[in-house]
Amino acid sequence: MNQHDTATVFTYPVKELAEAWREHAQRHGITDPETQLLAREAVHGSPRAGYRPAWYVPSTGELVVIIAAEPHWTEAQAIDWLRWMLEQLHANGSVTLYAHDYAEQAPAQEATA
């Protein structure tokens, strides 16, 4: 059993991604550095059904799954898509991935963003 199995799970449609990130991954206006990007099987126990982007916040035990029209074919695609979307949302000011003081170091923090 891994820590994600006992997590409190929240699901959001893709259109509420920024709101979900602010609610579950950010603390005091900045992303919790322990937040883990991951992917969940669209249908539990059936990897062929595809994967949904998700993240896990160890400090709260919350797992957030993002539901889009079609799941991604692989876990890597789901995670890459989520990372890309979060970068776009950060660029337009919808979410904060890291403190402004450390903005120049963003690529170094990509794994937690």
Side-chain angles (χ1 to χ4, degrees):
M1 176 186 284
N2 70 39
Q3 59 191 355
H4 306 145
D5 292 337
T6 60
T8 302
V9 179
F10 297 87
T11 58
Y12 288 88
V14 69
K15 68 181 181 177
E16 295 178 11
L17 176 59
E19 177 183 337
W21 186 263
R22 288 190 306 268
E23 176 72 22
H24 299 281
Q26 288 186 196
R27 297 291 175 256
H28 310 292
I30 191 165
T31 296
D32 182 333
E34 300 300 316
T35 301
Q36 304 165 7
L37 301 185
L38 48 96
R40 297 282 287 188
E41 292 175 343
V43 177
H44 184 66
S46 181
R48 287 185 172 200
Y51 294 87
R52 302 207 184 276
W55 65 83
Y56 176 70
V57 183
S59 64
T60 61
E62 296 175 347
L63 175 69
V64 178
V65 180
I66 302 300
I67 308 294
E70 294 292 324
H72 297 271
W73 288 102
T74 67
E75 290 177 87
Q77 287 174 336
I79 293 168
D80 288 346
W81 177 87
L82 180 57
R83 183 175 289 119
W84 179 81
M85 283 296 297
L86 291 170
E87 289 169 357
Q88 302 310 305
L89 291 168
H90 176 79
N92 76 18
S94 296
V95 301
T96 302
L97 298 179
Y98 40 82
H100 288 282
D101 295 345
Y102 301 106
E104 297 80 29
Q105 299 174 2
Q109 295 182 11
E110 187 173 294
T112 61

